[in-house]
Amino acid sequence: MKIIYAKDYDELSRKAANRIAAQVILKSESVLGLATGSSPLGTYRRLIKLYEAGDVHFSKCRAVNLDEYCGLPEENTQSYAYFMKENLFRHIDIRPENTYIPDGMNRDMEGECGRYEETVRSLGGVDLQLLGIGHNGHIGFNEPCDFFPKETHCVELSKQTVDANSRFFPKREDVPTHAYTMGIGTIMAAKKILLIASGEAKAPILLQMATGPVCPQVPASILQFHSDVTVIADEDALDMLMENAPYLIQELPEL
Ligand code: GLP
């Protein structure tokens, strides 16, 4: 696991976007695994700028998203399908038919999970998977539990996750309680993983993820077993790692 220091959210976003752009420049038909949440917003803004400058093109890329809320149609402004269109897809030249996300309106859970897993497989797997991290260590929507779920599945969101996500909804009762998510196995099958984290609230979980035991109670800890993971985090998020395990961090500024 390579951990890279960024001064602030802006620098983090620039470093992450540059890596994604490099992937697409080197392999124009890349399969990008994409994420939602506040963390990737700046990265997407940077990617849009690189596209507008003519430095990167997405016309041959395929994009598969990690997860989607159950019960929200894609027109709902809080659905992840809507998020991706608004914050990235409609600003770049990716073809809509090359973007994939679980269908949160499909009530046939087993069918939807199997269909999505097959979609990812049929694309030949993910070349670069972008991840955020939940305060409890969730990746995608793989919540802490007693085992690592392998494939795409439907999860009941933890209270902590519903609380965290309620900031985007008018009322707490409006926050979906279930979601479809790629499994830990689906995520670990990506050739490269890029995890981004910003802000002091993520400091304890970054420390646990990188130095704690690998266990399903901290789902992101499994990333210690992936051979090509880059974590880019800003100074606030790296706070506890800098104090407890500075040797793990690359590109630390001279103090
Ligand atoms: C949601 C998403 C995750 C994301 C997490 C953290 O639960 N399903 O993919 O990583 O939130 O979000 P944020 O980046 O806003 O902290």
Side-chain angles (χ1 to χ4, degrees):
M1 185 179 287
K2 195 167 161 189
I3 304 179
I4 294 179
Y5 167 95
K7 186 163 52 70
D8 52 23
Y9 182 71
D10 216 44
E11 189 175 302
L12 173 166
S13 303
R14 190 160 47 79
K15 287 184 170 180
N18 286 346
R19 277 177 167 73
I20 297 171
Q23 167 69 39
V24 176
I25 289 166
L26 290 174
K27 184 180 175 190
S28 56
E29 68 282 8
S30 288
V31 177
L32 298 178
L34 297 178
T36 53
S38 320
S39 306
L41 279 174
T43 303
Y44 293 156
R45 279 197 291 269
R46 284 278 173 182
L47 277 178
I48 294 166
K49 283 203 178 127
L50 289 168
Y51 164 72
E52 287 171 349
D55 290 333
V56 60
H57 297 281
F58 298 89
S59 55
K60 293 187 187 153
C61 279
R62 278 78 46 81
V64 279
N65 260 81
L66 281 168
D67 47 13
E68 178 60 285
Y69 287 122
C70 290
L72 294 190
E74 59 183 278
E75 317 76 68
N76 186 300
T77 55
Q78 295 311 325
S79 75
Y80 286 168
Y82 189 93
F83 175 103
M84 289 310 301
K85 259 183 231 153
E86 275 311 297
N87 294 302
L88 183 64
F89 297 154
R90 75 181 181 85
H91 305 281
I92 60 173
D93 62 344
I94 195 161
R95 299 158 77 107
E97 64 271 28
N98 286 342
T99 65
Y100 303 88
I101 191 157
D103 176 3
M105 293 306 282
N106 190 348
R107 283 164 185 272
D108 170 13
M109 286 184 195
E110 220 171 292
E112 181 56 21
C113 294
R115 185 195 69 80
Y116 200 66
E117 194 65 26
E118 186 45 40
T119 299
V120 180
R121 203 170 299 137
S122 70
L123 294 173
V126 172
D127 289 300
L128 174 64
Q129 176 68 58
L130 179 65
L131 294 177
I133 183 168
H135 299 104
N136 58 7
H138 74 235
I139 46 177
F141 264 134
N142 289 278
E143 295 280 31
C145 70
D146 296 335
F147 61 98
F148 289 112
K150 232 168 108 184
E151 302 196 326
T152 301
H153 58 290
C154 183
V155 291
E156 180 172 5
L157 304 178
S158 71
K159 187 183 167 300
Q160 196 181 3
T161 301
V162 173
D163 287 345
N165 293 347
S166 64
R167 69 190 192 276
F168 300 115
F169 292 81
K171 287 187 275 152
R172 198 182 181 284
E173 306 85 84
D174 297 338
V175 188
T177 54
H178 289 75
Y180 287 122
T181 180
M182 282 184 189
I184 291 291
T186 332
I187 294 171
M188 287 293 280
K191 296 178 188 91
K192 290 190 175 99
I193 293 181
L194 175 59
L195 184 142
I196 53 178
S198 162
E200 60 185 345
K202 298 283 170 74
I205 198 62
L206 279 196
L207 179 66
Q208 257 186 290
M209 172 194 76
T211 64
V214 173
C215 59
Q217 289 77 21
V218 182
S221 63
I222 190 82
L223 299 176
Q224 292 179 41
F225 288 163
H226 193 284
S227 61
D228 194 343
V229 177
T230 301
V231 176
I232 306 179
D234 63 16
E235 193 165 315
D236 289 343
L238 285 177
D239 186 50
M240 295 178 78
L241 266 170
M242 290 201 287
E243 205 181 315
N244 294 284
Y247 50 88
L248 288 179
I249 306 172
Q250 303 194 8
E251 300 179 22
L252 257 181
E254 304 258 333
L255 295 175

